[in-house]
Amino acid sequence: STISVGHCFYFRGGAELLFDGVKKHQVTLPCQPEPWDIRNLLKWIKQNLLKERPELFMQGESVRPGILVLINDADWELMGELDYKLQDQDNVLFISTLHGG
């Protein structure tokens, strides 16, 4: 589709520290021929939003264990995880459940 879609991405529970402390990012993703899925979104976030220590956010092509992903307040495991196709105005929330001591 040639429509750019608007989204809000939220980082909580310490995850925001990897994004300059910014908890809410309003983003319009670039147009691409295929619909955006979470797999592509994570790559884009890593390249464009993530400021430091990507290993604390990503592991391989997914988020690392201990980061909870909610899509419009539903667990992404119910939505197809990496294969979920983003819809316009979707909210994606990343919550770190890992706490260093």
Side-chain angles (χ1 to χ4, degrees):
S1 82
T2 54
I3 305 164
S4 55
V5 284
H7 304 287
C8 280
F9 305 129
Y10 299 88
F11 302 93
R12 297 275 194 278
E16 70 275 7
L17 301 176
L18 305 175
F19 296 87
D20 273 356
V22 180
K23 291 187 174 185
K24 178 181 179 181
H25 295 259
Q26 283 195 282
V27 169
T28 300
L29 292 169
C31 302
Q32 62 174 29
E34 297 296 309
W36 281 88
D37 58 19
I38 297 291
R39 181 179 283 105
N40 290 328
L41 172 66
L42 287 170
K43 282 183 203 156
W44 187 89
I45 285 176
K46 184 177 178 182
Q47 289 165 352
N48 295 277
L49 296 181
L50 193 56
K51 299 298 185 197
E52 56 187 276
R53 300 181 71 182
E55 73 279 2
L56 294 183
F57 185 70
M58 302 274 301
Q59 185 171 318
E61 61 177 12
S62 188
V63 291
R64 64 173 289 171
I67 292 185
L68 189 63
V69 183
L70 299 178
I71 300 166
N72 302 324
D73 297 325
D75 189 324
W76 76 323
E77 291 179 7
L78 305 173
M79 317 282 279
E81 298 192 6
L82 292 172
D83 294 323
Y84 173 78
K85 302 277 189 282
L86 284 169
Q87 312 294 314
D88 192 23
Q89 307 302 324
D90 273 354
N91 291 324
V92 185
L93 175 62
F94 299 90
I95 305 172
S96 175
T97 59
L98 301 171
H99 298 285

